[in-house]
Amino acid sequence: NTMRLWSARAPNDFNLRDFNVGDYIQAVLDRNLAENISRVLYPNDNFFEGKELRLKQEYFVVAASLQDIIRRFKASRFGSQNTIRTTFDSFPDKVAIQLNDTHPALGIPELMRVFVDIEKLPWDKAWEITKKTFAYTNHTVLPEALERWPVDLMEKLLPRHLQIIYEINQRHLARISALFPGDNDRLRRMSLIEEEGVKRVNMAHLCIVGSHAVNGVAKIHSDIVKNEVFKDFSEIEM
């Protein structure tokens, strides 16, 4: 196995123009803002700035890791930069991504973005590959501890990913509606978007819908996840 340690860097470490006009703080501001992303992992998110930085960190690690995974999948051999694979049909056979809790959940819309926007795969094909690639392990049985991101924050930082999440949710709810006609309360409970109060993205629901397997950290935990926390999801084959 290969361990990757990611470090954020600014495209330009030093702005000589700002420095020459006496703006010494601005001259290194871009570098400091970029390096803050990987300087201290998971800051206190009781404040907006902490929440914003934490979301940036989660996306940064996910995006960097997926770029490396895709590069290695396309390469002919370890360490090679030459691309030999031009299709992704075998991607789930070569790549398995385990979501340990919801912190890397953005990997699902990020991989969809790469497949659809960059590699030009049809949505249904991209979703089939993505779902076969991801598995999710839940680490908490407390509903209030499950990660939820405000829609307005995600729209500000990751607008394309929010669009993809909306599309995933629309297709997901259409399927649930077909299975349980008229059960609007079930649709509300199973939606990826929470509408009550501040509109939020439920990252645990995103993990479940975007994964081919879901489990807890132990059998008793898995039973609670199946029979209590995510009972609606366990009643159908996602």
Side-chain angles (χ1 to χ4, degrees):
N1 293 331
T2 301
M3 177 179 287
R4 291 284 189 261
L5 300 177
W6 301 114
S7 179
R9 293 288 183 268
N12 299 306
D13 285 349
F14 187 81
N15 192 316
L16 184 61
R17 183 180 61 184
D18 288 336
F19 184 84
N20 284 337
V21 297
D23 197 343
Y24 308 123
I25 295 177
Q26 186 66 38
V28 295
L29 183 61
D30 288 345
R31 185 187 69 186
N32 290 337
L33 289 175
E35 292 181 356
N36 280 344
I37 293 176
S38 57
R39 196 187 306 275
V40 178
L41 190 63
Y42 294 160
N44 185 342
D45 61 358
N46 290 328
F47 305 96
F48 175 80
E49 291 78 9
K51 284 186 173 67
E52 185 177 56
L53 179 55
R54 185 171 179 133
L55 183 58
K56 288 179 180 179
Q57 289 178 339
E58 291 187 2
Y59 176 67
F60 169 75
V61 174
V62 158
S65 298
L66 282 175
Q67 285 185 39
D68 187 56
I69 287 170
I70 292 171
R71 176 190 62 81
R72 296 176 72 186
F73 170 77
K74 287 182 173 181
S76 58
R77 60 186 181 276
F78 183 80
S80 172
Q81 298 297 319
N82 298 324
T83 299
I84 62 162
R85 290 193 180 101
T86 57
T87 67
F88 288 88
D89 293 337
S90 63
F91 192 80
D93 299 325
K94 303 295 183 181
V95 176
I97 300 177
Q98 184 68 35
L99 302 173
N100 280 309
D101 219 351
T102 56
H103 305 310
L106 285 170
I108 294 171
E110 172 64 6
L111 188 57
M112 284 296 292
R113 184 191 70 81
V114 172
F115 283 160
V116 173
D117 294 352
I118 299 175
E119 302 295 340
K120 306 303 180 184
L121 269 63
W123 178 279
D124 290 342
K125 184 65 176 178
W127 182 244
E128 177 189 359
I129 296 172
T130 296
K131 195 173 175 68
K132 288 180 179 178
T133 300
F134 284 98
Y136 167 51
T137 297
N138 171 265
H139 284 249
T140 178
V141 297
L142 300 175
E144 63 272 16
L146 297 175
E147 196 171 37
R148 296 167 169 87
W149 285 108
V151 165
D152 58 352
L153 177 59
M154 189 167 287
E155 189 172 32
K156 173 187 174 185
L157 296 180
L158 301 167
R160 177 56 177 148
H161 295 74
L162 184 60
Q163 289 177 347
I164 292 172
I165 290 170
Y166 279 149
E167 181 67 21
I168 293 171
N169 193 45
Q170 181 180 349
R171 291 168 182 251
H172 161 62
L173 292 182
R175 178 169 180 262
I176 302 304
S177 182
L179 292 171
F180 302 94
D183 194 343
N184 292 328
D185 193 48
R186 180 182 290 268
L187 292 178
R188 177 189 59 79
R189 295 195 307 267
M190 298 184 71
S191 176
L192 275 58
I193 309 298
E194 298 180 350
E195 303 282 353
E196 297 179 5
V198 177
K199 201 171 181 181
R200 297 177 184 272
V201 179
N202 188 311
M203 304 305 281
H205 288 186
L206 175 62
C207 288
I208 294 171
V209 172
S211 299
H212 68 271
V214 178
N215 65 281
V217 295
K219 184 181 185 303
I220 188 172
H221 186 164
S222 294
D223 290 340
I224 294 173
V225 166
K226 181 177 179 180
N227 300 321
E228 298 180 30
V229 182
F230 302 123
K231 185 171 183 269
D232 288 323
F233 290 92
S234 69
E235 289 176 349
I236 61 174
E237 184 180 350
M238 294 305 300

